Amino acid sequence: MATQKPPSALIALIEALRRLPGVGPKSAQRIAYHLLQHDRDGAALLGQALTEAVTRIKHCSLCNTFSETGVCETCSSPRRDAALLCVVETPSDQLMIEQTLTYKGLYFVLMGHLSPIDGIGPKDIHLERLLTRATDGAVTEVILATNFTNEGEATAHYIGEMLKARGLKVSRLARGVPVGGELEYTDAGTIAQAVLERRRT
Ligand SMILES: [Zn+2]
């Protein structure tokens, strides 16, 4: 006797949920059943929010962070110091540095880090755009605020060499951030200290 197949829309939902990081086939199935059985409103909301976000959120043409406008709020602000450019891996790292309230410069968000093992090279983290951005004439110092993980350190080294070759002053966050440390999980006080005590590379 042939086993009965779930409706195709349900299969499609489970397949879609499997795209989420850390969600395997079993969890995907559980989430799908939960949403359909107990939280249809939530499911509809999730669907709408996803569609909205995917349609409206783009990357800032200057700093590469998520933005609903061509140039983000931070890059458009006249109160920011255009001479300082801080390079971070993710928008959440940028947020962490913002929360220290000690940094008044601008940012460039890589949206990742170099990782040859995963096939992530300079192009994937937009280094050409960073180079254009850093050599705009206004930037005098680039602060490398990638994570203190192996990949983050390697990325900082690579970018540092690239920018120094163009005669730019480059500094790295001070070691207040623990070895292997990710900014997202470091407290604001420690990050503030690391920004203030950044050292020239
Ligand atoms: Zn921006």
Side-chain angles (χ1 to χ4, degrees):
M1 199 174 73
T3 50
Q4 199 192 328
K5 262 192 165 174
S8 59
L10 178 56
I11 296 175
L13 173 60
I14 293 168
E15 284 303 313
L17 287 166
R18 284 193 61 187
R19 287 170 167 261
L20 295 171
V23 173
K26 279 241 172 76
S27 313
Q29 210 171 61
R30 243 189 328 261
I31 297 168
Y33 288 158
H34 170 82
L35 288 172
L36 292 172
Q37 183 79 23
H38 302 292
D39 195 6
R40 289 196 172 223
D41 288 349
L45 205 67
L46 182 65
Q48 272 168 20
L50 278 172
T51 308
E52 283 269 294
V54 167
T55 320
R56 285 170 49 183
I57 299 179
K58 303 183 166 37
H59 292 272
C60 168
S61 61
L62 289 176
C63 73
N64 199 39
T65 198
F66 292 132
S67 176
E68 286 191 41
T69 47
V71 175
C72 76
E73 226 174 276
T74 308
C75 288
S76 326
S77 168
R79 285 194 299 275
R80 309 296 302 209
D81 181 357
L84 289 176
L85 189 70
C86 181
V87 178
V88 292
E89 293 185 24
T90 64
S92 37
D93 293 341
Q94 177 186 11
L95 193 66
M96 287 303 293
I97 293 181
E98 279 298 284
Q99 283 167 356
T100 67
L101 306 174
T102 51
Y103 180 71
K104 287 284 164 257
L106 294 168
Y107 293 92
F108 189 87
V109 183
L110 300 169
M111 294 285 172
H113 49 231
L114 290 176
S115 182
I117 273 182
D118 304 309
I120 301 170
K123 252 209 169 123
D124 303 300
I125 57 168
H126 317 282
L127 293 193
E128 262 169 52
R129 277 181 61 201
L130 169 59
L131 191 59
T132 311
R133 181 70 191 85
T135 52
D136 69 346
V139 175
T140 58
E141 180 185 354
V142 178
I143 303 161
L144 301 173
T146 52
N147 290 317
F148 285 99
T149 54
N150 287 340
E151 292 90 352
E153 291 278 27
T155 306
H157 179 76
Y158 188 95
I159 296 174
E161 294 304 307
M162 175 182 90
L163 296 179
K164 278 189 284 184
R166 306 291 168 123
L168 276 155
K169 183 180 164 190
V170 179
S171 54
R172 178 87 171 109
L173 283 194
R175 274 273 186 205
V177 179
V179 178
E182 301 190 23
L183 296 190
E184 200 176 344
Y185 305 109
T186 307
D187 67 284
T190 305
I191 295 178
Q193 199 65 20
V195 174
L196 291 173
E197 291 174 7
R198 64 183 180 269
R199 57 196 159 71
R200 190 148 178 190
T201 64

